[in-house]
Amino acid sequence: MSALVKLVILVPCCFFLVALIKFLYDYLWTPLRIQRTLNSQGIKGPPYRFIHGNNKEVAKMKREASSKPMGLTHDIFPKVQPHLYSWINRYGKNFLFWNGVRAELVISEHELIKEVVKNSERTFPKRKPTVYLSKLLGNGLVTAEGERWVKQRKLANQVFHGESLKNMIPAVIASVETMLAKWQGQEGKEMDVSKDFRLLTSEVISRTAFGSSYLEGEKIFAMLNKLSIIMSRNVFKTRIPFINKLWKPADLLESEELAREIQECVMKIVKKREDKVVNREADSFGNDFLGLHVNVYHDFYDDNRLSLEELVDECKTFYFAGQETVNSLLAWTILLLAIHGEWQEKARSEVIHVFGNQNPHPEGIAKLKTMTMIINETLRLYGPSNGMMRKVGREVRLGKLVLPANIDILIANAALHHDPQLWGDDVHLFKPERFAEGIAKATNYNAAAYFPFGLGPRFCVALIKFLYDYLWIPLRIQHVLNSQEIKGHPYKFIHGNNKEVAEMRREASSKPLGLTHDIFPTLKPHMYSSWIKHFGKNYLCWDGVRAELVISDPELIREVLKYTEKTFRKRKPTIFPSKIFEGEKWLKQRKLVNHVFHGESLKLSFPSHFIGAPSTWYQLPELCVPARRSSIS
Ligand code: HEM
């Protein structure tokens, strides 16, 4: 045999051998190693099966669950996620299962959830989207990570903020009125409201985010809908190694085609907006969602400029994330109100009491206590999110566990929202009254027990969350403090009391000040001349959406400054980017500083202090570390 023939045989053999070793390493060695590591730490779960993982079991359980008829019950967790339901019962709150070759650690223990969503030092990033999810959302805000996410989140926050949100209200009202007009004359007839809600949410998103009508977005919504169906039927389908690379399944081909068409449609809408500026029909791209994004796409001087791909992905994300979620919430709320007539009555009389014949307005919406309770309970029983997905970026400690890098994490919202240990024996009943005193009380002050909008920095960016933060929470705080005799200037939507403060300051500084040491009314006119006089020594005011409890009662001041059990911490700085250290870190730094301003070292630096020190040190001895230390000395 010639050397050349030997080579021709040997090279493919070596190649095959290396490929085989790599294959066995990825599909056998690594999963078994991960399984052993986690089993040894008490995390159990169904055993890994070669290539398929547990996908066949999941498919079987889902088939069985959906083939059984379901009574009129709200206990939907076993029906919707039968695999999670059954494995939580068998293996405990945290367990491991296998989506093909990927290890998926399901967690439903509060402390672990809090740790994961905090994602400090980016240890628990979002997962890389699956091939189908990337066709659906691309690398938009929902899936993006790192710098890209920061950039996109900033832009999205601008959309769901202040004035831009207020400006959306008339469009929302117009869309709802169109739907209600269609419903007129339908009393007593059976209707598929979810179809109409899909149309409504599509119309609202098209109008408010893209400045177009539903007809323009219709094709995009239909294609996104098709894509999401393809994606959900492929979640637990095993991708066979090698074969994937050679042969594309029909679903993949169809989703590629759909993604291409969606891109074209989005580009048409973008082009239409650009043309308006080019043809001088508009002098800017606008300040709705599309306008803000097109602006950044065209800003050549901005380091954070969006690429064309990012622009399209962001649009897809908003079309999809906005429609499916709100549509589901509306449809379930209406169904629940239809079943529970007494709550329907309560909701109706509250709305009539607050708005009468007026159109809804933000201040009124904040007063809808019963409606908020109903929505909270609907989101608990039928929340649209079926889990928050993360992965382990690098080997890390989570509670008592040490997790290997590159495994997936699933935070099972539904498991928590349907957990009788958290909600009591009536967990499967529709009882909005459990939220009568707010979410904090209903969950026993456990933030990781109820999170329909997510938790941590990746919480939902949308409007409902905004209203919640900017209206419901401030008004609840105000109510709680008012009921304890703490009065104050009322909270105003978004601005709090900032406008009043600015006005008083302007007035105070425009008046000439005589030769007097009574400078407090000039420096802090809102406190002195107005609010302390009106509301007493302790009162509540609003720095934007932040509640600020002003105290000048010496007893309370002593209590706060005592700082027992770290109950009254320093606030986060607002202006300077510097960090405020707390806890261990503060102790360490304070020790260091004390050392510098102590005994001998102070004696040595005394002469220079006299020359260099600002006179305020001696005027305000109790505020400054050096002066205080020296007086103790
Ligand atoms: C009832 C309504 C909604 C619910 C229950 C909901 C729920 C959620 C949840 C649970 C997350 C967190 C996902 C995670 O951490 O992995 C999320 C994120 C997100 N939501 Fe919503 N959502 C709703 C409405 C909307 C709407 C109307 C929009 C857009 C118009 C939207 C856009 C987004 C986006 C872009 C993110 C990703 C944020 C980020 O990662 O920074 N959502 N939503």
Side-chain angles (χ1 to χ4, degrees):
M1 209 187 279
S2 74
L4 185 66
V5 175
K6 269 189 197 163
L7 201 69
V8 168
I9 296 171
L10 211 65
V11 168
C13 282
C14 288
F15 179 76
F16 178 73
L17 198 70
V18 171
L20 184 69
I21 293 172
K22 165 106 178 66
F23 171 69
L24 289 176
Y25 181 79
D26 288 347
Y27 284 79
L28 203 62
W29 169 253
T30 307
L32 291 178
R33 180 179 52 83
I34 292 173
Q35 186 165 277
R36 221 182 13 255
T37 311
L38 289 176
N39 283 176
S40 68
Q41 298 177 57
I43 297 289
K44 306 281 176 240
Y48 170 70
R49 292 189 212 284
F50 190 50
I51 300 184
H52 295 283
N54 304 124
N55 287 353
K56 286 185 179 171
E57 285 119 296
V58 175
K60 187 165 170 255
M61 286 192 230
K62 286 200 159 197
R63 241 190 336 267
E64 272 174 17
S66 60
S67 67
K68 281 184 209 149
M70 187 171 162
L72 205 54
T73 163
H74 304 310
D75 182 13
I76 58 157
F77 183 39
K79 181 97 177 164
V80 180
Q81 295 180 314
H83 55 302
L84 298 186
Y85 174 77
S86 142
W87 290 332
I88 285 179
N89 283 338
R90 199 173 318 157
Y91 302 112
K93 284 194 167 170
N94 312 313
F95 70 90
L96 180 71
F97 82 99
W98 296 89
N99 184 346
V101 75
R102 298 279 314 163
E104 188 141 334
L105 176 67
V106 178
I107 57 173
S108 35
E109 212 174 275
H110 311 141
E111 288 313 312
L112 303 192
I113 293 175
K114 276 188 217 154
E115 199 57 38
V116 169
V117 292
K118 240 184 0 194
N119 189 22
S120 37
E121 292 166 29
R122 300 195 178 158
T123 20
F124 300 104
K126 289 243 177 166
R127 300 176 194 177
K128 197 170 163 246
T130 60
V131 62
Y132 291 102
L133 183 62
S134 68
K135 298 281 175 285
L136 184 65
L137 301 179
N139 205 357
L141 186 55
V142 171
T143 47
E145 265 300 332
E147 292 298 314
R148 188 168 172 159
W149 173 74
V150 173
K151 180 169 81 173
Q152 291 171 343
R153 180 83 197 199
K154 262 191 201 155
L155 264 173
N157 284 346
Q158 277 179 47
V159 177
F160 289 112
H161 209 275
E163 286 305 308
S164 81
L165 203 72
K166 262 190 180 171
N167 294 339
M168 291 180 192
I169 290 178
V172 177
I173 292 173
S175 303
V176 173
E177 275 173 353
T178 312
M179 185 187 74
L180 293 182
K182 214 180 108 191
W183 283 5
Q184 249 163 27
Q186 301 290 316
E187 288 86 1
K189 291 187 192 155
E190 199 171 291
M191 285 170 60
D192 181 354
V193 285
S194 99
K195 233 186 206 166
D196 285 346
F197 285 146
R198 171 157 287 139
L199 217 81
L200 171 72
T201 44
S202 312
E203 176 81 16
V204 168
I205 294 169
S206 300
R207 283 196 198 201
T208 55
F210 296 91
S212 59
S213 78
Y214 166 65
L215 285 178
E216 274 182 297
E218 189 181 14
K219 211 172 157 201
I220 299 178
F221 285 118
M223 288 188 289
L224 285 171
N225 199 24
K226 263 193 195 164
L227 258 179
S228 78
I229 294 170
I230 296 179
M231 185 189 74
S232 56
R233 72 170 169 247
N234 278 282
V235 171
F236 290 107
K237 257 197 195 153
T238 311
R239 288 172 61 83
I240 308 289
F242 308 123
I243 294 178
N244 270 328
K245 305 251 186 281
L246 305 172
W247 172 77
K248 286 185 182 174
D251 272 356
L252 188 55
L253 290 174
E254 191 183 350
S255 61
E256 280 175 357
E257 183 55 27
L258 285 169
R260 200 186 49 72
E261 280 183 50
I262 294 171
Q263 161 136 3
E264 273 172 17
C265 288
V266 171
M267 282 313 302
K268 263 190 208 155
I269 292 178
V270 171
K271 173 96 185 11
K272 206 169 151 193
R273 186 66 66 96
E274 289 171 333
D275 283 350
K276 275 195 175 164
V277 174
V278 173
N279 301 334
R280 297 181 190 269
E281 286 165 40
D283 47 13
S284 77
F285 295 120
N287 50 14
D288 58 2
F289 171 85
L290 183 64
L292 283 170
H293 283 75
V294 174
N295 232 338
V296 181
Y297 165 59
H298 279 286
D299 193 345
F300 293 94
Y301 300 105
D302 190 343
D303 291 341
N304 288 327
R305 200 184 152 211
L306 285 178
S307 67
L308 181 61
E309 180 212 344
E310 287 172 320
L311 174 67
V312 173
D313 286 353
E314 246 353 60
C315 293
K316 283 200 304 197
T317 297
F318 270 71
Y319 270 123
F320 183 73
Q323 195 209 27
E324 282 306 311
T325 46
V326 179
N327 178 29
S328 149
L329 171 63
L330 288 176
W332 283 115
T333 310
I334 288 291
L335 179 73
L336 287 167
L337 288 182
I339 300 172
H340 301 275
E342 73 286 11
W343 283 101
Q344 193 184 136
E345 260 324 299
K346 281 185 199 169
R348 181 175 291 117
S349 47
E350 179 182 70
V351 170
I352 292 170
H353 172 72
V354 172
F355 294 113
N357 288 329
Q358 282 177 319
N359 271 331
H361 46 80
E363 287 80 4
I365 291 170
K367 290 185 191 147
L368 298 179
K369 194 178 162 209
T370 307
M371 212 43 234
T372 309
M373 283 154 53
I374 292 170
I375 288 176
N376 281 337
E377 183 67 343
T378 308
L379 285 170
R380 183 183 73 80
L381 292 169
Y382 297 96
S385 157
N386 54 9
M388 284 150 59
M389 294 166 197
R390 301 290 188 271
K391 71 173 188 184
V392 180
R394 57 179 163 78
E395 189 181 279
V396 71
R397 180 172 279 282
L398 177 65
K400 285 183 192 151
L401 305 171
V402 177
L403 303 181
N406 202 24
I407 65 170
D408 291 338
I409 291 190
L410 176 70
I411 300 172
N413 313 26
L416 285 132
H417 293 178
H418 291 261
D419 184 354
Q421 281 177 7
L422 286 171
W423 302 95
D425 292 339
D426 55 1
V427 62
H428 302 310
L429 300 183
F430 175 73
K431 289 182 82 176
E433 64 266 38
R434 64 177 100 238
F435 289 101
E437 287 175 65
I439 292 177
K441 198 76 190 290
T443 55
N444 214 359
Y445 299 93
N446 185 350
Y450 177 75
F451 43 93
F453 293 100
L455 266 183
R458 305 289 303 237
F459 67 83
C460 182
V461 77
L463 169 131
I464 296 173
K465 166 79 185 145
F466 172 89
L467 286 179
Y468 190 78
D469 285 351
Y470 283 76
L471 275 171
W472 174 240
I473 292 192
L475 292 172
R476 285 304 293 160
I477 294 176
Q478 188 161 294
H479 172 76
V480 170
L481 289 178
N482 285 176
S483 63
Q484 296 174 67
E485 298 300 309
I486 297 287
K487 303 287 171 231
H489 215 38
Y491 170 72
K492 302 244 172 77
F493 188 51
I494 301 174
H495 301 285
N497 306 136
N498 289 352
K499 284 186 182 169
E500 286 101 320
V501 172
E503 178 62 24
M504 286 188 226
R505 284 197 156 162
R506 236 187 338 267
E507 253 177 44
S509 60
S510 68
K511 283 182 203 151
L513 182 75
L515 202 55
T516 164
H517 303 307
D518 184 15
I519 57 165
F520 191 38
T522 309
L523 287 182
K524 306 252 179 202
H526 51 296
M527 286 186 181
Y528 177 76
S529 47
S530 181
W531 294 340
I532 289 187
K533 274 189 193 159
H534 273 90
F535 306 120
K537 280 189 173 173
N538 311 315
Y539 67 89
L540 177 70
C541 64
W542 295 91
D543 180 1
V545 75
R546 297 279 311 165
E548 190 153 314
L549 178 64
V550 178
I551 54 172
S552 31
D553 177 333
E555 274 308 307
L556 297 190
I557 292 175
R558 207 168 297 136
E559 192 65 29
V560 169
L561 295 183
K562 238 177 15 191
Y563 185 61
T564 37
E565 290 165 27
K566 299 181 184 167
T567 12
F568 301 103
R569 292 161 170 266
K570 287 242 176 174
R571 300 181 197 177
K572 262 197 186 158
T574 48
I575 301 172
F576 302 107
S578 62
K579 277 188 180 165
I580 292 279
F581 291 118
E582 280 286 349
E584 292 296 313
K585 248 186 176 164
W586 171 77
L587 261 178
K588 202 163 91 183
Q589 300 231 335
R590 180 78 196 201
K591 258 188 204 158
L592 264 174
V593 177
N594 283 351
H595 183 72
V596 175
F597 294 107
H598 203 271
E600 284 309 303
S601 74
L602 201 70
K603 260 191 206 163
L604 289 174
S605 61
F606 221 54
S608 56
H609 275 245
F610 270 117
I611 300 162
S615 55
T616 41
W617 278 12
Y618 306 101
Q619 290 167 10
L620 303 168
E622 74 282 11
L623 283 185
C624 178
V625 177
R628 187 147 142 209
R629 265 270 149 245
S630 61
S631 72
I632 289 167
S633 314

